[in-house]
Amino acid sequence: MKKKLLQLLRTLLGLLFLFSGFVKCVDPMGGAIKIEDYFVAWGLDFIPFGVDMCLSMLQNIVELTVGFMLLTNVFTGVASFIALAFMVFYTPLTLYIAIENPVSDCGCFGDAVKLTNWETFGKNMVFLPIAVFVFMKHKWAKSHLSTWRQVAVLCTGLMVASLISIKGVTDEPIIDFRPYAVGVDINKAMSIPEDAPMPEYKSTFILEKNGERREFDELNYPYEDSTWVYIDTRTEVVSEGYVPPIKDFTLTDKYGEVQTGRILSSHDPVVLVVSPSTEDISTEHVAMLSKIAETQYASNHEMYILTASGQSEQDNLDRRAERGFDYLQADETMLKTMMRSNPGIMVVQDGIVIAKYHVDHLPSQMLDAPLATKLSNIEAENVRLTNLCIIFAVVLMLVIIAKRKRREEPTGFDQKTM
């Protein structure tokens, strides 16, 4: 029973780390942005973004590998110690975050699962004693694999985690958990259902009489006593109600006119080049954008550069490209959510995201020919190698678990009786 309990808890802890590591490994840029948010909230915004990215990749790879080790029962002592160290570090940290609320979302599961800060702390309080138990009792279930085979399994998990993370840096995420994923109808994602819960607020009124200040709410407000003098009002959010997945998709032209509705209602595909900062676009990518624009404009297809950069930066990009682009102004945070690469290419038609491409992995159709009426038949960047690595790792893990179970099963007779 002790071994069964340990196996159950070890599996739960392994699944937690495997899932948490995987959903962040596919999008290390998102983790780096979240770490940057923490640094800004703590007054450490002088730290360069490269440090944020390195920390994000390191944490994600370690989490995924530890989860893999726990599930396959290889070097469980080391894996359980690292898992316990994570829980000991993050549990008090998430308590502080829940109380002080420097950021609204801790980002522990990336964009896959959104938890409030208090929900994150509650999750850690559940898994902290599990991590303690698994570490203290890991010797109850030693691996039946030899040391070199355990090393092989560990290297496999580490390799897969590293490949997924590197793929997430050099391309768009292989699994997109963001609200602007391919197939999303932006119009629907911005709408609020009629039966959706509305936000609830609590207002506290501060009044003064005869030098005494008191607080009142709507129920005990002294409406009939005019001797109370109004001082201030404090409003608190009791419940946020329904929050649509997309709530900040606003595009404006250089005259301040909102073009969002026109772009999302276009029956023809519209190419949106997403660049939070046009100054960060390399010379090679500038030439690529110029070539795309030439084919699109020549065929009367719309193409816009969505950016948070000002007019001077836009003019500088035009000079570098030796041509004029059409620009739309947008929020920088929204742009970083839409695409991880700078620039990145998103194609929308009838308000639906029908294609997304990293600038280094554009299909030849976008470079050599104008857009067709429909782009739904254009395949996204080939991720077969990465997917095969994931499938291989999962199959290997299942084989190891099945092999261990066969070794643990009774042979049908007791050898001592022979």
Side-chain angles (χ1 to χ4, degrees):
M1 290 298 296
K2 292 181 179 179
K3 290 184 178 180
K4 292 294 183 182
L5 177 62
L6 175 61
Q7 182 179 359
L8 173 63
L9 296 181
R10 176 170 53 79
T11 300
L12 289 175
L13 188 63
L15 288 173
L16 172 71
F17 273 78
L18 189 73
F19 177 74
S20 176
F22 175 76
V23 297
K24 289 184 292 190
C25 266
V26 299
D27 185 18
M29 180 68 74
I33 293 174
K34 180 57 64 176
I35 293 175
E36 182 183 33
D37 291 341
Y38 280 112
F39 284 164
V40 171
W42 294 334
L44 303 175
D45 49 330
F46 57 87
I47 297 179
F49 190 74
V51 175
D52 305 338
M53 178 61 73
C54 290
L55 290 175
S56 174
M57 293 185 67
L58 177 62
Q59 173 181 288
N60 303 342
I61 292 173
V62 170
E63 281 192 40
L64 181 54
T65 305
V66 167
F68 186 74
M69 293 168 66
L70 289 171
L71 289 175
T72 55
N73 196 26
V74 298
F75 297 115
T76 310
V78 176
S80 60
F81 174 77
I82 298 176
L84 178 60
F86 265 77
M87 300 308 301
V88 169
F89 175 77
Y90 280 107
T91 300
L93 178 61
T94 52
L95 175 61
Y96 159 77
I97 293 173
I99 295 174
E100 298 296 331
N101 197 36
V103 294
S104 59
D105 171 33
C106 72
C108 60
F109 293 131
D111 290 305
V113 178
K114 297 290 186 179
L115 297 178
T116 66
N117 291 335
W118 280 109
E119 289 172 344
T120 301
F121 173 69
K123 179 262 297 179
N124 289 342
M125 287 298 295
V126 171
F127 280 93
L128 176 60
I130 293 178
V132 173
F133 181 82
V134 172
F135 173 71
M136 296 296 293
K137 306 299 181 182
H138 70 272
K139 293 183 179 180
W140 286 357
K142 292 185 178 180
S143 175
H144 294 282
L145 298 176
S146 61
T147 301
W148 74 267
R149 288 184 176 178
Q150 292 188 66
V151 171
V153 175
L154 170 59
C155 291
T156 300
L158 186 60
M159 178 188 68
V160 172
S162 300
L163 285 176
I164 296 174
S165 191
I166 293 173
K167 180 68 173 178
V169 173
T170 59
D171 201 351
E172 286 295 300
I174 57 176
I175 301 178
D176 197 347
F177 297 107
R178 294 167 295 172
Y180 297 94
V182 174
V184 169
D185 188 331
I186 299 179
N187 287 308
K188 290 184 179 179
M190 291 193 302
S191 63
I192 299 178
E194 294 182 359
D195 56 347
M198 301 301 293
E200 298 180 12
Y201 303 94
K202 177 183 178 182
S203 297
T204 301
F205 305 96
I206 303 174
L207 307 180
E208 182 177 353
K209 182 172 72 171
N210 299 329
E212 176 189 4
R213 290 193 176 186
R214 290 180 56 185
E215 296 183 354
F216 301 90
D217 56 22
E218 294 90 342
L219 299 178
N220 64 353
Y221 190 91
Y223 295 100
E224 299 180 356
D225 189 349
S226 60
T227 59
W228 285 98
V229 179
Y230 172 81
I231 301 298
D232 196 7
T233 301
R234 184 175 66 252
T235 303
E236 304 174 29
V237 179
V238 178
S239 174
E240 290 188 356
Y242 176 81
V243 179
I246 298 177
K247 55 182 182 297
D248 55 359
F249 189 77
T250 303
L251 310 176
T252 57
D253 59 23
K254 62 181 179 181
Y255 304 107
E257 297 290 334
V258 178
Q259 301 294 328
T260 309
R262 187 181 63 79
I263 298 295
L264 296 181
S265 61
S266 174
H267 297 307
D268 295 323
V270 180
V271 176
L272 302 177
V273 179
V274 180
S275 175
S277 174
T278 57
E279 293 293 289
D280 296 332
I281 302 178
S282 67
T283 302
E284 176 186 358
H285 293 155
V286 169
M288 189 178 298
L289 293 181
S290 180
K291 186 175 182 180
I292 296 174
E294 182 179 353
T295 59
Q296 304 312 316
Y297 293 157
S299 302
N300 294 322
H301 287 109
E302 291 186 281
M303 169 179 159
Y304 298 95
I305 295 182
L306 311 187
T307 183
S309 298
Q311 188 62 50
S312 60
E313 290 82 3
Q314 296 175 18
D315 294 339
N316 184 44
L317 179 60
D318 289 344
R319 285 192 294 269
R320 294 170 62 194
E322 297 182 353
R323 69 171 308 116
F325 293 108
D326 293 328
Y327 295 89
L328 291 176
Q329 204 76 17
D331 178 71
E332 182 177 5
T333 301
M334 181 199 78
L335 296 175
K336 290 181 178 180
T337 303
M338 292 173 65
M339 300 290 299
R340 295 310 190 199
S341 64
N342 183 16
I345 309 296
M346 175 184 290
V347 184
V348 297
Q349 186 174 20
D350 293 319
I352 300 175
V353 180
I354 61 174
K356 290 178 69 174
Y357 304 107
H358 190 283
V359 69
D360 292 327
H361 302 280
L362 293 175
S364 59
Q365 293 96 323
M366 296 204 68
L367 294 174
D368 302 331
L371 286 175
T373 304
K374 295 287 185 180
L375 286 180
S376 57
N377 61 332
I378 295 181
E379 294 182 353
E381 166 67 14
N382 193 337
V383 294
R384 292 179 183 176
L385 178 60
T386 306
N387 291 338
L388 285 176
C389 290
I390 298 172
I391 294 172
F392 173 75
V394 172
V395 171
L396 177 63
M397 180 180 65
L398 294 176
V399 169
I400 294 172
I401 294 174
K403 187 174 182 180
R404 187 177 72 246
K405 286 184 176 180
R406 286 198 301 269
R407 290 186 176 184
E408 294 175 350
E409 288 177 355
T411 59
F413 59 91
D414 187 353
Q415 295 184 2
K416 294 182 179 180
T417 62
M418 296 179 61

